[in-house]
Amino acid sequence: MEKLGIYLGPRLRRLRKDLGLTQAHMAADLDVSPSYIALMERNQRPVTAEVLLRLAKAYKIDLSSLAEESGSDLIARLQAAMKDPIFAEIDVSPLELADVLSSFPGFTEAMLRLYTAYKEEQFALADQRQGSADWGTDASDPVAAVRGFLAARRNCFPGLDVAAEKLSTAIAEAGGLPGYFRQRHNLHVRRLPGEVMTGSVRRLDRHRREILLDDSLDAASQNFQLAQQLAYIEFDGDIRKAVSEGNLLTESARRLAHRAIAAYCAGAIVMPYTAFAKAVEARRYDVEAIARQFGTSFEQTAHRLTTLQKPGQERIPFFFIRVDAAGNVSKRLDSANFPFARHGGGCPLWTLHQVFTTPRTVVTQWLELPDGQRFFSVARTVSSGGGAFGVPRVTRAVALVCEAGYAERMVYYRHHVQPVTPTPIGIACRLCHRTNCTSRSEPPIGRHISPDDYRRTDTPFGFSD
């Protein structure tokens, strides 16, 4: 009779590869046959309690690490993929998906990678249809490439969230990030004046075993910089693997993606997924209150809200954008399929561009696109820099946007309940065909301008039908 056990094929195979072992080497260490190792890795034999104990003894591993990625997580990812319209006429039951995962784990991983690549290419095609590099979507643009890379994954990396959550617990036990650096890496944190840092806000000095921080940074920024440095040290292999799975054609794009994922890890370390997701629901998405709870900034907290799409533990999908006073977009993240994520952000009717007149005040707004889609927006100014006399401060505006149906779950909904008339906005003037907009800066593509020899409209441009 087959001994009872659990099926850990993909995780056992990854453990073996991480250790640099062949099946024969692992078999010798565990005192089993190479063919038995192969059967366990293909989920054709369970991993028994006896084998688990041998694994723990031979490789000094925590057995809980093998159970972190549950099969339900992969099933949830497969179910999410199968909801895509491309599979609309294919009826696959959850039981069938579970059978595929159990019997063909390699195929499951291949399917998910292929689907992610497909989504990434869909975003690239959407960019090409706009037909102009003026939108910052040229394939040679590393920033646009990384935005597509993140959007295809809904700005969510569940495996990194699991690792960061475990690390966050160890950091708390060490009394915080500085203590953890001392105990784990023999690195000491020092804060130095800006003139000594010579243009750096963070620097790792391996020779002196020090992490140097600009002392003009506020507490939230210092903490985040330490967390990002820790991500570079402890998660570098995982980050590189995530980057390698993207269709990033230039070295600049790969470096930007590496930086973006390191920042993602930093956010996951200081705002661990489970605790953060629980706080989000308890405080009804009150960004300022959540930021105080975790000792983070408004922008860091808003950014983290866009990442809460872990299969089975999803929260409201948000679009995030950051602009300066001139309307230049410096950050866009999307887990909500908001059209502005790819081709816009510059409509002057959106309060995102007006909050500079009311600094640090949260401004809410109902939005309606020309096709009738409605969204709820939360915007506020944020600042970086400063911290000492004469140190430049940069003020930008950020906005979180969700579909109208999610708005009632937010604390801001109480003070801005529908049926407030939504503001009619467009993705961008060149793509917006509203004829009565007095804020328009240029005519839409494909419309002819009417002469104004005998009639001048109250809008900047009059269009022929």
Side-chain angles (χ1 to χ4, degrees):
M1 181 180 293
E2 182 71 58
K3 292 183 180 180
L4 296 177
I6 56 177
Y7 290 91
L8 298 172
R11 276 161 278 174
L12 181 63
R13 181 169 59 251
R14 186 173 66 247
L15 171 65
R16 177 176 60 78
K17 290 183 176 180
D18 288 345
L19 294 171
L21 301 173
T22 65
Q23 289 182 341
H25 288 147
M26 177 171 275
D29 291 341
L30 302 182
D31 195 22
V32 297
S33 68
S35 61
Y36 190 63
I37 295 292
L39 290 171
M40 287 191 294
E41 289 188 354
R42 292 198 298 267
N43 272 349
Q44 293 176 347
R45 290 289 187 277
V47 180
T48 65
E50 183 180 358
V51 172
L52 282 173
L53 292 174
R54 292 181 187 179
L55 279 168
K57 183 177 180 180
Y59 305 122
K60 303 295 189 286
I61 62 171
D62 181 359
L63 292 180
S64 65
S65 65
L66 289 174
E68 283 174 350
E69 294 180 26
S70 64
S72 61
D73 179 69
L74 289 176
I75 291 174
R77 291 176 61 192
L78 276 174
Q79 288 175 329
M82 292 304 296
K83 291 178 182 178
D84 192 284
I86 195 174
F87 302 124
E89 297 179 359
I90 302 176
D91 185 18
V92 181
S93 69
L95 182 60
E96 288 178 290
L97 293 179
D99 287 342
V100 170
L101 174 60
S102 175
S103 302
F104 308 103
F107 176 81
T108 301
E109 184 175 350
M111 170 68 179
L112 290 172
R113 286 190 186 183
L114 186 62
Y115 177 72
T116 301
Y118 158 76
K119 293 296 291 182
E120 197 167 344
E121 288 302 313
Q122 287 294 102
F123 284 119
L125 286 172
D127 290 339
Q128 292 175 13
R129 292 191 187 104
Q130 294 303 321
S132 172
D134 293 339
W135 295 97
T137 54
D138 185 11
S140 64
D141 181 354
V143 175
V146 173
R147 285 175 180 166
F149 167 77
L150 295 174
R153 292 153 181 81
R154 301 191 75 186
N155 193 34
C156 184
F157 298 86
L160 292 174
D161 275 309
V162 171
E165 195 158 15
K166 186 175 181 180
L167 178 57
S168 181
T169 300
I171 291 170
E173 292 172 352
L177 280 161
Y180 183 84
F181 273 114
R182 284 194 306 272
Q183 295 177 23
R184 176 71 175 175
H185 298 286
N186 191 28
L187 289 168
H188 298 268
V189 177
R190 288 185 64 195
R191 296 168 177 80
L192 298 174
E195 57 268 21
V196 178
M197 294 293 291
T198 60
S200 300
V201 295
R202 183 196 74 238
R203 185 159 61 87
L204 174 61
D205 187 336
R206 290 191 178 275
H207 178 68
R208 292 185 173 86
R209 310 298 303 171
E210 292 178 336
I211 299 174
L212 308 177
L213 294 175
D214 186 330
D215 65 4
S216 66
L217 294 175
D218 58 30
S221 297
Q222 288 189 19
N223 211 37
F224 191 86
Q225 288 299 326
L226 288 176
Q228 189 165 5
Q229 184 64 74
L230 187 58
Y232 281 126
I233 294 173
E234 298 211 1
F235 296 155
D236 190 65
D238 296 319
I239 294 171
R240 291 183 184 279
K241 180 183 177 184
V243 172
S244 70
E245 293 174 357
N247 185 26
L248 301 170
L249 303 179
T250 67
E251 184 61 26
S252 292
R254 288 188 286 271
R255 288 179 179 177
L256 284 176
H258 193 276
R259 181 191 302 177
I261 298 176
Y264 180 99
C265 292
I269 290 170
V270 298
M271 293 169 276
Y273 198 102
T274 302
F276 189 77
K278 182 178 180 181
V280 160
E281 292 295 336
R283 296 185 179 274
R284 294 177 56 83
Y285 294 85
D286 187 331
V287 182
E288 292 169 307
I290 298 168
R292 283 194 295 272
Q293 178 175 339
F294 288 88
T296 51
S297 70
F298 187 94
E299 181 178 346
Q300 291 167 359
T301 308
H303 186 158
R304 181 62 168 150
L305 283 171
T306 69
T307 69
L308 300 184
Q309 296 304 307
K310 189 175 181 180
Q313 301 180 48
E314 298 93 338
R315 296 297 186 265
I316 294 178
F318 284 107
F319 166 69
F320 172 94
I321 189 170
R322 185 181 71 188
V323 302
D324 62 21
N328 299 307
V329 178
S330 54
K331 187 185 292 185
R332 275 195 298 226
L333 299 164
D334 186 37
S335 62
N337 296 319
F338 187 47
F340 274 64
R342 304 297 296 173
H343 311 295
C347 182
L349 299 178
W350 188 4
T351 52
L352 168 69
H353 303 282
Q354 301 165 18
V355 294
F356 292 99
T357 62
T358 55
R360 301 180 68 81
T361 299
V362 172
V363 178
T364 60
Q365 184 182 29
W366 290 99
L367 306 173
E368 184 176 84
L369 295 179
D371 62 1
Q373 291 186 83
R374 291 190 175 186
F375 296 87
F376 189 70
S377 167
V378 177
R380 204 199 83 162
T381 60
V382 296
S383 299
S384 61
F389 181 76
V391 176
R393 178 180 294 274
V394 179
T395 298
R396 300 183 179 94
V398 299
L400 280 171
V401 183
C402 67
E403 292 183 19
Y406 292 110
E408 63 182 15
R409 292 168 59 182
M410 304 172 68
V411 67
Y412 311 105
Y413 179 83
R414 303 173 187 169
H415 304 289
H416 212 155
V417 181
Q418 284 185 303
V420 174
T421 303
T423 302
I425 68 169
I427 296 174
C429 288
R430 292 179 63 188
L431 302 177
C432 177
H433 288 264
R434 297 186 191 276
T435 59
N436 60 346
C437 179
T438 58
S439 299
R440 179 179 292 280
S441 61
E442 55 185 342
I445 296 172
R447 299 296 292 272
H448 295 290
I449 304 299
S450 298
D452 66 352
D453 304 44
Y454 299 101
R455 177 175 178 268
R456 180 68 165 87
T457 64
D458 58 359
T459 58
F461 304 96
F463 313 125
S464 61
D465 294 332

